[in-house]
Amino acid sequence: NYENSLKFAQALNNSELENSIKTKIKSARTERNRFEFNKSYNAGLEYEENKNYDIAISNYENSLKFAQALNNSELENSIKTKIKSARTERNRFELKKYYEKGLDSKDRKIYDTAIFYYEKALKLAVENNDTEFEKKINERISECEHNILYEEFEKGENLLKRKFFEHAIKCFQEAIDVAKKHNNAELERQAKEKIELAKKGIEKEKNKNFHEPTSDNLYEKAKESGWEL
């Protein structure tokens, strides 16, 4: 409405009226920006208190735009600090959540899933520059990888004893990959030896009578009967 009245003031060629309306427009914009700033900022505070960090940050960022429009550098810097603090708290909250999920998966011996959650937690620890938690998470990941190493080796040995050679090789290869990562030369050597034994078993199978079942056939039948490693 003020902008519309400005057009008529300009048409009337009344500079005093024109300037008065321009001042009114500027004042109204300032009040609007101040109102919108307070609305977004207060919403941010409320969401942060309820640990809805992403929504809180979105509101803080919106309030920052209005602080900039108000040309208030002190207020602008205060909001930037608030955004940084909310991001840190969000990361800390998410970090704890993923870390606890990792612990739960580890306790249930689902090591791949545990590592998945630990790595999510690790990324957040790095972002927060939380070196103590970062070290702790890396230790947990290492523990899981060692468990996978021995688990795959043991699984491979069980498969080898039952002459399920192809499946045994896959387990030993998995063990080798983890052993290399952790510089476990002895277990890597043992797994390689087991793979050679499995390969010899495969060669013997090739010499079987055509009608005799292969280890793969027997493996599938064993799984169907409910056999577990």
Side-chain angles (χ1 to χ4, degrees):
N1 280 297
Y2 286 140
E3 287 174 342
N4 199 41
S5 66
L6 179 62
K7 292 176 184 177
F8 292 112
Q10 290 168 336
L12 290 168
N13 198 26
N14 188 327
S15 58
E16 184 179 348
L17 189 61
E18 185 181 337
N19 290 332
S20 173
I21 293 168
K22 283 180 178 178
T23 301
K24 202 71 176 171
I25 290 170
K26 185 179 179 181
S27 174
R29 282 175 177 162
T30 299
E31 287 306 310
R32 178 198 62 187
N33 289 338
R34 189 174 286 118
F35 173 81
E36 292 296 335
F37 167 83
N38 286 328
K39 185 173 76 171
S40 295
Y41 182 75
N42 290 332
L45 289 174
E46 186 177 344
Y47 281 115
E48 186 177 4
E49 188 177 347
N50 292 320
K51 301 187 186 304
N52 293 319
Y53 295 108
D54 285 331
I55 302 175
I57 290 166
S58 178
N59 276 281
Y60 287 143
E61 287 173 341
N62 200 43
S63 69
L64 177 62
K65 293 174 186 176
F66 292 110
Q68 290 167 335
L70 288 166
N71 199 28
N72 189 326
S73 58
E74 185 179 347
L75 197 59
E76 188 180 335
N77 291 332
S78 174
I79 296 298
K80 285 179 179 178
T81 301
K82 198 70 179 168
I83 290 170
K84 184 178 179 181
S85 172
R87 283 175 178 160
T88 299
E89 285 305 310
R90 176 195 62 189
N91 288 352
R92 190 175 287 123
F93 177 79
E94 291 294 314
L95 188 161
K96 185 179 178 182
K97 180 179 74 176
Y98 287 130
Y99 183 75
E100 287 175 352
K101 284 186 175 182
L103 288 176
D104 179 63
S105 297
K106 179 178 175 289
D107 288 343
R108 292 187 287 126
K109 299 185 178 181
I110 311 172
Y111 300 117
D112 286 334
T113 303
I115 290 171
F116 171 78
Y117 286 122
Y118 285 144
E119 286 178 343
K120 279 185 169 292
L122 181 62
K123 183 180 178 182
L124 295 169
V126 171
E127 283 183 21
N128 273 12
N129 198 28
D130 191 337
T131 53
E132 187 176 343
F133 218 139
E134 189 180 339
K135 182 183 176 183
K136 187 177 180 180
I137 295 166
N138 277 319
E139 287 172 355
R140 295 289 176 268
I141 291 173
S142 183
E143 286 172 4
C144 285
E145 287 176 338
H146 274 97
N147 286 331
I148 289 171
L149 170 58
Y150 291 107
E151 192 178 71
E152 290 298 322
F153 192 89
E154 184 179 349
K155 193 187 294 183
E157 284 192 313
N158 289 334
L159 288 164
L160 188 59
K161 287 175 185 176
R162 291 174 176 266
K163 299 184 179 181
F164 301 142
F165 302 118
E166 294 286 353
H167 296 83
I169 288 172
K170 289 178 184 177
C171 291
F172 288 128
Q173 188 56 58
E174 180 71 23
I176 287 170
D177 292 341
V178 180
K180 282 181 178 178
K181 185 175 180 180
H182 292 277
N183 298 315
N184 193 329
E186 177 57 24
L187 208 58
E188 182 184 346
R189 181 190 64 76
Q190 290 179 33
K192 285 178 178 178
E193 287 179 357
K194 298 291 183 180
I195 287 175
E196 289 306 312
L197 286 175
K199 286 179 178 178
K200 287 177 183 177
I202 291 170
E203 287 300 317
K204 285 181 182 179
E205 278 199 338
K206 287 179 181 178
N207 298 324
K208 279 184 176 180
N209 185 288
F210 179 75
H211 296 290
E212 288 186 61
T214 64
S215 65
D216 278 340
N217 299 140
L218 293 170
Y219 179 79
E220 293 305 325
K221 285 182 180 180
K223 281 182 70 178
E224 287 172 9
S225 68
W227 173 75
E228 294 182 1
L229 292 176

